[in-house]
Amino acid sequence: MSKKNFSSRWAFILACVGSAVGMANVWGFPYKLGTNGGGAFLLIYVFFIALFSYVGLSAEYAIGRRAKTGTLGSYKFAWESRNLGIVGSIIGWLPLAGSLCIAIGYAVIIAYVLKALIQALTGSFMSVDTNVWFESFALQEYSVLPYHFIIIVGTLFTLFFGAKSIEKTNKIMMPLFFVLFTILAINVAMLPNAFDGYKFLFIPDFSKLADPMVWVSAMGQAFFSLSITGSGMIVYGAYLAKDEDIVESAKTTAFFDTLAALVAALVMIPAVFAYAMDPAGGPKLLFVTLPKILQDMIGGQIFAIILFTAVIFGGITSLQNMFEVVAESLMHKFPRLSRFWTLALLCVVCFGIGAFMEPISSWGPWMDFVSIYIIPIGAVIGAISWFWVIKKEEILDEINSGANKTYGSFWYFVGKFIYVPLTFLLCVIAISKGISF
């Protein structure tokens, strides 16, 4: 496969932001913020976003660019520096499997959103009992098959030309995501009692800083919101030009990912406060709580269309990355496999398995298992590989290629002795406590 780079730093950043922005921002961030102290959670979250983007995210970009390939090739490359290439060739399959497994469940969620968008467009969505409506498909087998198929095929189609088509679609979908959510946030600001939501969001209750679980929740949300899973961001790093500043690109990606989470929270939190409703976590926030609010709003149908369109854009750009990292690795491992047949194979696997887990009772436990076990373990394997296995000189040389300033022992120390232990800590907490970040 002939590799194509992104045409510019901003094209790369939009693609990376597209990967990071998804359900973790739309329903995960507002819910966790709402149940973990509001402004206090936000302070901790921003701290960890800054830390993890500085070392973890930039390291994943760097290893991809250094190895000139995605997950499987990058792990082999890192471990070969210790003459253990065979180990890297084996362990790289776990984080790669995490990307594929998440994609299978994620596609079902976006199919739910597409169903909601179609019903918002027809107007039927505005007169339903949202609880009954949600349960009519969330508790049923094969309930969103056509929407499910459209999402998978449509997303895979956007990957047909590799970095070039990923870039083109993200240049459209990511700006629209921010514009549409900003329109919603402005409208929500006009609701009575919305100001109480802003106070909760931006005025910290510093007593919450004494609660260890607020720190753990914020750290986990920051970590996985940036998609530092030992897999996803590596492939985009492989498409980054040598003259681009990796650390600055990582910081910019983190800024826009945080901005996306805040814009989503500026819609969700004030709306929930205005209507004195419970900011239910997960799917119910998007498919039950918010729809009830939209049904009571003037112009609610228009805003429902805007909401679900924006969420689909965020979802598809995340799903793109999950598919691309698997596709690139398969083509790297099996050079005779064409992009067309690789994408066709992914379509068969993702839809073939996902069709049997369309009820929330199926994909919910599936996503929890992947998020509690596979993703955290993969993230630890990645962190150790970039800071304890590959030689210091090698990773620093790549970090400094195209950099506006020199990164040295301090960057490496933060990565090796702060980032890696925190990654390991999150993994231990996730597995021992059964917490899905």
Side-chain angles (χ1 to χ4, degrees):
M1 182 189 72
S2 61
K3 296 279 178 66
K4 300 281 187 179
N5 286 346
F6 290 112
S7 65
S8 68
R9 176 171 174 260
W10 278 105
F12 166 76
I13 287 169
L14 282 174
C16 292
V17 172
S19 171
V21 171
M23 298 306 158
N25 300 79
V26 172
W27 73 44
F29 179 78
Y31 167 64
K32 290 177 182 176
L33 185 146
T35 54
N36 286 282
F41 175 92
L42 181 60
L43 282 176
I44 302 168
Y45 175 81
V46 170
F47 167 76
F48 281 117
I49 283 283
L51 173 63
F52 293 155
S53 63
Y54 177 64
V55 283
L57 186 56
S58 58
E60 292 211 353
Y61 291 164
I63 189 63
R65 193 171 71 174
R66 190 70 169 186
K68 301 182 178 65
T69 185
T71 304
L72 295 183
S74 290
Y75 278 93
K76 182 180 180 181
F77 178 88
W79 285 74
E80 274 182 341
S81 67
R82 303 291 180 181
N83 297 316
L84 293 169
I86 185 65
V87 175
S89 297
I90 295 170
I91 62 174
W93 284 98
L94 181 67
L96 188 71
S99 293
L100 179 60
C101 291
I102 283 289
I104 291 170
Y106 207 85
V108 178
I109 302 171
I110 309 173
Y112 282 17
V113 182
L114 181 58
K115 176 181 173 63
L117 173 61
I118 297 301
Q119 291 195 233
L121 287 166
T122 62
S124 61
F125 175 78
M126 303 311 294
S127 58
V128 298
D129 180 312
T130 57
N131 264 307
V132 174
W133 170 77
F134 179 60
E135 291 177 357
S136 71
F137 59 89
L139 303 183
Q140 301 298 320
E141 299 278 357
Y142 315 115
S143 57
V144 290
L145 277 176
Y147 306 107
H148 192 174
F149 186 75
I150 289 169
I151 289 297
I152 292 174
V153 172
T155 304
L156 289 171
F157 182 77
T158 68
L159 301 178
F160 194 76
F161 297 104
K164 181 179 179 181
S165 53
I166 294 170
E167 175 181 324
K168 286 183 179 297
T169 51
N170 276 276
K171 280 183 175 180
I172 297 170
M173 288 190 282
M174 272 298 93
L176 282 175
F177 173 90
F178 284 101
V179 169
L180 294 175
F181 258 104
T182 299
I183 292 170
L184 287 169
I186 291 170
N187 187 70
V188 166
M190 300 176 185
L191 296 174
N193 302 318
F195 187 69
D196 291 336
Y198 298 132
K199 289 195 294 183
F200 178 78
L201 181 58
F202 293 114
I203 299 177
D205 176 359
F206 290 104
S207 66
K208 297 288 185 180
L209 298 179
D211 184 349
M213 287 312 297
V214 173
W215 286 82
V216 169
S217 182
M219 181 167 58
Q221 179 67 21
F223 192 93
F224 294 108
S225 178
L226 289 174
S227 296
I228 320 172
T229 60
S231 182
M233 290 305 196
I234 298 173
V235 70
Y236 284 175
Y239 300 155
L240 182 62
K242 274 285 189 181
D243 59 351
E244 298 294 345
D245 188 322
I246 282 180
V247 176
E248 286 303 313
S249 295
K251 290 177 182 178
T252 307
T253 302
F255 172 80
F256 281 103
D257 178 63
T258 304
L259 184 62
L262 281 173
V263 171
L266 287 171
V267 173
M268 310 293 185
I269 299 296
V272 167
F273 269 81
Y275 284 85
M277 299 182 76
D278 177 29
K284 285 204 168 183
L285 177 61
L286 185 60
F287 297 109
V288 177
T289 305
L290 271 181
K292 284 181 181 177
I293 294 171
L294 292 168
Q295 287 174 345
D296 289 338
M297 288 171 54
I298 296 173
Q301 182 180 359
I302 294 172
F303 292 113
I305 293 169
I306 292 172
L307 171 68
F308 293 123
T309 301
V311 174
I312 283 177
F313 286 161
I316 286 176
T317 53
S318 292
L319 193 59
Q320 272 185 328
N321 177 260
M322 299 171 200
F323 283 146
E324 178 62 18
V325 70
V326 179
E328 193 281 340
S329 280
L330 289 177
M331 289 184 290
H332 176 81
K333 184 71 175 177
F334 308 103
R336 297 180 64 181
L337 192 60
S338 71
R339 177 167 280 267
F340 173 82
W341 287 112
T342 302
L343 297 179
L345 175 63
L346 285 177
C347 180
V348 171
V349 171
C350 192
F351 186 70
I353 297 175
F356 295 99
M357 58 170 60
E358 291 188 346
I360 195 170
S361 59
S362 297
W363 65 257
W366 170 275
M367 295 291 272
D368 284 343
F369 176 80
V370 177
S371 299
I372 292 170
Y373 298 99
I374 300 178
I375 295 296
I377 293 173
V380 170
I381 291 172
I384 291 172
S385 297
W386 320 146
F387 288 103
W388 285 89
V389 176
I390 194 170
K391 292 180 179 179
K392 175 182 176 179
E393 296 75 18
E394 183 115 35
I395 192 74
L396 282 177
D397 181 63
E398 193 59 40
I399 285 290
N400 286 307
S401 178
N404 294 320
K405 71 177 206 177
T406 302
Y407 297 91
S409 296
F410 177 76
W411 181 88
Y412 191 75
F413 177 89
V414 172
K416 188 170 187 175
F417 296 108
I418 298 178
Y419 171 69
V420 174
L422 287 176
T423 306
F424 183 75
L425 175 63
L426 277 175
C427 182
V428 170
I429 292 172
I431 294 173
S432 63
K433 301 289 186 181
I435 297 174
S436 173
F437 291 109

